[in-house]
């Protein structure tokens, strides 16, 4: 029993990270990990030749099942759908590949893949499993896994955007942005944004939010100034790191109103993602330990 608990505890950060990248939802990822633990606990351990490989396979297949069901629900989603933001520790940014893979921009690109393509891409390109291992995890032949991986890689390559921000200056830029928003200074806001900046709001039909992405420096600046004028954006904010990117938590009284994640490159804001759907804010203050580390051989 101690060995079982130790194996699961050591794998848990990796299992959660895999599930989150496949699903884009921390709540669903937690459900998958917990369900996988119950399945793991119910199986006679002597029947499991390679425990950690078994755990990764179970989480992957459960996440795929969840994703297929979630895709049908998201077809009826009101307004833009954004991934559920996760509060990340500073060390996530030290792994550039992991940081990119959980960024809002990348997770939105992954949303355009089929469930099988998304799982294969995540396992192969992010976590570095071999085609043989990926095939085993998703229940495909190795040939099929290779074909899916190639198709997914080309799709992502054509759509991915890369952002490198300096954490030392990110808070300063976000602070200047909030001050300009609260004073209604559209010119100052525009000076902080890239020409192709995009602002996406996710209210899920449960709270006021823009029903379409707002694009362009002037349009976004005027939109943000208008929101600040009517809601007092930034009256109570907390700086944090979400999805390995600079972010702020905005509160109205004691209520968390939104998490706004910023994509910054070359000292300019390229993207803003405002998650306001209350269903996605329930556990966002809890830090998540994300990792790609696999400190064991796949099948000894």
């Amino acid at each position: 029993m101690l060995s079982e608990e130790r194996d699961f505890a050591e794998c848990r950060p990796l299992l959660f990270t895999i599930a989150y990248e496949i699903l884009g939802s921390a709540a669903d990822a937690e459900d998958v990990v917990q369900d996988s633990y119950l399945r793991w606990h119910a199986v006679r351990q002597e029947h499991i030749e390679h425990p950690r490989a078994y755990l990764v396979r179970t989480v992957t297949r459960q996440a795929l099942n969840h994703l297929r069901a979630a895709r049908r629900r998201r077809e009826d989603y009101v307004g833009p759908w954004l991934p559920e933001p996760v509060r990340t520790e500073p060390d996530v940014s030290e792994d550039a590949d992991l940081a990119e893979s959980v960024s809002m921009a990348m997770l939105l690109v992954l949303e355009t893949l089929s469930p099988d393509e998304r799982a294969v891409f995540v396992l192969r390109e992010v976590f570095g499993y071999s085609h043989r291992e990926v095939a085993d995890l998703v229940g495909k032949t190795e040939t099929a896994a290779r074909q899916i991986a190639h198709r997914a890689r080309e799709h992502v390559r054509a759509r991915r955007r890369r952002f490198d921000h300096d954490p030392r200056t990110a808070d300063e830029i976000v602070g200047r942005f909030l001050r300009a928003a609260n004073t209604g200074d559209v010119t100052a806001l525009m000076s902080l944004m890239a020409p192709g900046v995009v602002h996406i709001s996710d209210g899920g039909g449960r709270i006021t939010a823009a029903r379409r992405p707002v694009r362009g420096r002037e349009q976004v600046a005027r939109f943000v100034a208008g929101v600040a004028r009517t809601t007092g954006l930034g009256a109570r904010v907390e700086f944090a790191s979400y999805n390995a990117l600079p972010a702020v938590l905005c509160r109205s009284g004691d209520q968390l109103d939104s998490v706004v994640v910023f994509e910054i490159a070359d000292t300019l804001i390229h993207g803003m993602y405002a998650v306001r759907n209350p269903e996605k804010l329930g556990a966002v203050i809890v830090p998540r330990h994300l990792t790609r580390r696999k400190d064991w051989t796949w099948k000894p």
Side-chain angles (χ1 to χ4, degrees):
M1 180 64 69
L2 287 176
S3 178
E4 291 178 37
E5 298 297 334
R6 184 176 63 251
D7 280 339
F8 189 85
E10 290 177 354
C11 285
R12 200 181 196 289
L14 175 67
L15 300 178
F16 176 83
T17 308
I18 290 173
Y20 177 69
E21 295 213 19
I22 291 176
L23 292 165
S25 164
D28 287 348
E30 284 287 5
D31 287 345
V32 163
V33 172
Q34 181 62 24
D35 183 63
S36 298
Y37 172 75
L38 295 176
R39 291 169 181 263
W40 155 260
H41 204 58
V43 174
R44 293 175 64 89
Q45 294 300 302
E46 60 266 27
H47 295 164
I48 301 176
E49 185 177 2
H50 305 293
R52 298 183 180 189
Y54 174 90
L55 284 169
V56 174
R57 183 190 305 111
T58 302
V59 162
T60 297
R61 296 191 181 182
Q62 288 299 106
L64 268 171
N65 290 338
H66 270 65
L67 181 59
R68 293 183 180 112
R71 283 292 172 87
R72 291 189 289 272
R73 295 194 303 270
R74 288 173 195 173
E75 290 176 0
D76 299 322
Y77 200 81
V78 178
W81 180 93
L82 287 174
E84 183 180 337
V86 292
R87 189 163 191 159
T88 46
E89 303 289 359
D91 61 349
V92 172
S93 298
E94 296 173 6
D95 183 339
D97 290 333
L98 177 60
E100 183 193 12
S101 71
V102 298
S103 70
M104 285 290 184
M106 176 57 81
L107 290 175
L108 287 175
V109 171
L110 294 181
E111 277 293 304
T112 65
L113 298 173
S114 72
D116 283 341
E117 288 172 341
R118 180 168 185 163
V120 168
F121 179 87
V122 165
L123 294 167
R124 174 66 183 151
E125 301 299 322
V126 179
F127 294 93
Y129 288 108
S130 70
H131 289 109
R132 176 181 61 83
E133 292 166 346
V134 171
D136 179 47
L137 289 171
V138 300
K140 302 285 185 182
T141 66
E142 185 173 343
T143 299
R146 285 181 181 276
Q147 292 172 342
I148 294 170
H150 175 75
R151 188 165 63 243
R153 186 167 54 252
E154 292 301 307
H155 182 97
V156 171
R157 184 179 296 161
R159 292 163 176 78
R160 82 196 310 168
R161 297 187 299 162
R162 296 181 181 275
F163 294 96
D164 276 325
H165 71 273
D166 181 355
R168 295 170 298 181
T169 61
D171 284 353
E172 177 190 349
I173 293 168
V174 173
R176 288 165 57 196
F177 166 85
L178 292 174
R179 288 192 293 273
N182 282 320
T183 59
D185 191 336
V186 172
T187 301
L189 284 169
M190 290 176 61
S191 72
L192 295 168
M193 300 178 187
V197 64
V198 59
H199 186 291
I200 302 177
S201 305
D202 178 348
R206 299 176 181 275
I207 195 166
T208 303
R211 293 294 182 92
R212 295 183 178 83
V214 181
R215 301 181 185 276
R217 190 157 44 193
E218 183 174 355
Q219 291 85 347
V220 171
R222 293 191 181 281
F223 173 79
V224 168
V227 169
R229 185 169 57 251
T230 57
T231 66
L233 175 68
R236 290 191 59 205
V237 301
E238 174 189 342
F239 288 81
S241 175
Y242 276 80
N243 295 74
L245 294 169
V248 293
L249 288 80
C250 302
R251 301 181 187 276
S252 177
D254 294 329
Q255 189 74 25
L256 180 60
D257 176 81
S258 60
V259 174
V260 184
V261 182
F262 295 81
E263 287 177 336
I264 298 173
D266 301 323
T267 70
L268 291 176
I269 299 170
H270 290 252
M272 282 173 279
Y273 304 91
V275 179
R276 303 197 69 210
N277 185 344
E279 290 188 351
K280 297 183 179 183
L281 298 177
V284 293
I285 63 172
V286 179
R288 305 286 185 175
H289 182 192
L290 303 183
T291 185
R292 295 190 306 146
R293 292 181 60 184
K294 306 186 298 293
D295 294 330
W296 64 86
T297 55
W298 176 248
K299 291 186 177 180

